[in-house]
Amino acid sequence: MKKYNIPVEAALEVIGGKWKVVILCHLIKDKRRTGELKRLMPGITQKMLTQQLRELEEDGVILREVYNQVPPRVEYSLTEYGWSLKGILDSLCAWGEQHIEKTYPNKEEVLIQTEELEQV
Amino acid sequence: MKKYNIPVEAALEVIGGKWKVVILCHLIKDKRRTGELKRLMPGITQKMLTQQLRELEEDGVILREVYNQVPPRVEYSLTEYGWSLKGILDSLCAWGEQHIEKTYPNKEEVLIQTEELEQV
DNA sequence: TAATGTAGGCACTAAAAAGTAACAAATGAA
DNA sequence: TTCATTTGTTACTTTTTAGTGCCTACATTA
C-alpha cells in the first residue's frame, strides 16, 4: 500500500504529471471524444493520451463510454467524483491566466491559437 | 518564449513536478530552513530540494534568505506572489485528505507518521 | 476491390527526471 | 589539529516518462 508523508501527495498521485490537469480542464467544459481531446492537445501522442485517460479512469475521476459503432466512438467525461476537483481545476486555470499576464504582458505571444472547431 | 495551448499549463510549469506542491504546502504553514524541509520530506534528496527551491525562487513564489553565519543558515518563505497560490494549495491538501479517506478507510495505514519536532 | 475513419495495442528508442556519492567552505568545539 | 555542522555543487548513473512507427478491427464509401 502506498504511503504518503502528507495527504497532498495523494492528490498529486491522481492529478499529477504533465497531462492530467489539462485533460481534466477540457473535460470540465464538456464530454469529449478521443480525437477531440487529441486535437485540443496538439502536443500529446495517442499513446500518452490513452495512458493518462486509463489512469484517470482507474482513479475514478473520469468515465469512459464506448459506443458500439464502426468506426468506434469513445467518449470521456468527468464522474461525480471527478467534479469534486472542479474548484482546484478552476483556480489552477485562473492562476495560470494571471501568471501569464504577469509574466508576459502581451499575452497573445504566449498562447497558441488553436481553432477549436468542436467548440464553435 | 514558452508557448502554451491553454493557460493552465503556465500554472503547471510553476507548481508542477513531484516536489513543488509539497514544498509550498510546508512553507504555507511557516518559514523553514533547508534542513527542516529535508526532515519534513524524508524522500527528497539534497539535490532535488535545492533544485526545486531554486526554480520556485526564480518563479517568484518563494524567498530565500541567507544569514551570514557559520554554519550557514538559509530560510525559505512564501513571497506575496506565492501567497496567491494559497487557495489552490489548501484545496489540494483538502482533496488529498478526503481522497485518502475514500480510498483507504483506515487512513492511519497510509500516512507516515513523522515526528515534526519543529512544529511542536 | 481498395481506401477511409476511429480508437488503441505493442515493441523499441529517446529524452527527461531523479538518485548517488564525493567534495567544498568556514568556524567553533573537542 | 581534527571533527562536526549546514548548505550547496558537480559528475555520473539509474529510473521514469515520453515519443516513434507499425499493426489491428470493420462497416462504409468510392
Side-chain angles (χ1 to χ4, degrees):
Chain A
M1 181 184 287
K2 183 79 176 131
K3 297 273 178 182
Y4 307 105
N5 290 289
I6 52 172
V8 76
E9 290 175 354
L12 296 178
E13 200 160 74
V14 177
I15 64 166
K18 191 174 168 184
W19 298 111
K20 289 182 180 175
V21 165
V22 177
I23 292 173
L24 293 172
C25 284
H26 286 303
L27 293 184
I28 225 170
K29 292 191 194 134
D30 225 330
K31 69 167 48 174
R32 294 287 187 193
R33 299 183 57 178
T34 313
E36 289 179 304
L37 285 173
K38 241 189 312 194
R39 277 188 289 282
L40 291 168
M41 298 186 281
I44 204 170
T45 57
Q46 166 79 53
K47 183 188 130 188
M48 283 310 295
L49 179 57
T50 319
Q51 188 178 305
Q52 304 295 299
L53 288 168
R54 290 290 175 285
E55 292 177 12
L56 289 169
E57 195 191 356
E58 267 178 36
D59 285 320
V61 293
I62 69 169
L63 176 70
R64 177 169 183 266
E65 287 175 290
V66 184
Y67 296 83
N68 228 4
Q69 303 177 357
V70 170
R73 171 188 193 85
V74 179
E75 279 184 355
Y76 295 93
S77 54
L78 293 189
T79 60
E80 201 190 313
Y81 192 47
W83 280 106
S84 70
L85 288 164
K86 178 165 171 24
I88 292 171
L89 298 172
D90 283 347
S91 6
L92 271 176
C93 290
W95 197 90
E97 274 181 42
Q98 67 87 29
H99 181 66
I100 287 176
E101 272 163 37
K102 183 196 174 233
T103 314
Y104 315 92
N106 9 6
K107 125 186 182 193
E108 61 283 357
E109 298 172 26
V110 186
L111 280 177
I112 299 166
Q113 289 304 332
T114 5
E115 356 167 14
E116 296 174 2
L117 295 172
E118 304 87 9
Q119 286 193 150
V120 179
Chain B
M1 181 184 287
K2 184 74 178 140
K3 297 273 180 183
Y4 306 105
N5 290 289
I6 52 170
V8 77
E9 290 175 356
L12 296 177
E13 200 161 74
V14 177
I15 64 165
K18 192 175 167 184
W19 298 110
K20 289 181 180 174
V21 165
V22 178
I23 292 173
L24 293 172
C25 284
H26 285 303
L27 293 184
I28 225 170
K29 292 194 195 131
D30 224 330
K31 68 166 50 173
R32 293 289 185 191
R33 296 185 58 178
T34 314
E36 287 180 304
L37 286 173
K38 240 188 316 191
R39 278 188 289 281
L40 290 169
M41 298 186 282
I44 203 170
T45 58
Q46 167 78 54
K47 181 190 130 187
M48 284 311 294
L49 179 58
T50 320
Q51 187 178 305
Q52 304 295 297
L53 288 168
R54 289 289 173 286
E55 292 177 13
L56 289 168
E57 195 191 356
E58 266 177 36
D59 284 320
V61 293
I62 68 169
L63 176 70
R64 178 169 183 264
E65 287 175 289
V66 184
Y67 295 83
N68 227 3
Q69 303 177 357
V70 169
R73 172 188 191 83
V74 179
E75 279 185 356
Y76 295 94
S77 54
L78 292 190
T79 59
E80 200 190 314
Y81 190 47
W83 280 106
S84 70
L85 288 164
K86 178 164 170 28
I88 292 170
L89 297 172
D90 282 348
S91 5
L92 271 176
C93 289
W95 197 90
E97 273 181 43
Q98 68 87 29
H99 181 67
I100 287 176
E101 271 163 38
K102 182 195 175 236
T103 314
Y104 314 93
N106 11 6
K107 126 185 179 193
E108 60 284 355
E109 297 173 27
V110 186
L111 280 177
I112 298 166
Q113 290 305 331
T114 5
E115 357 170 13
E116 297 173 1
L117 295 173
E118 304 87 9
Q119 285 193 151
V120 178

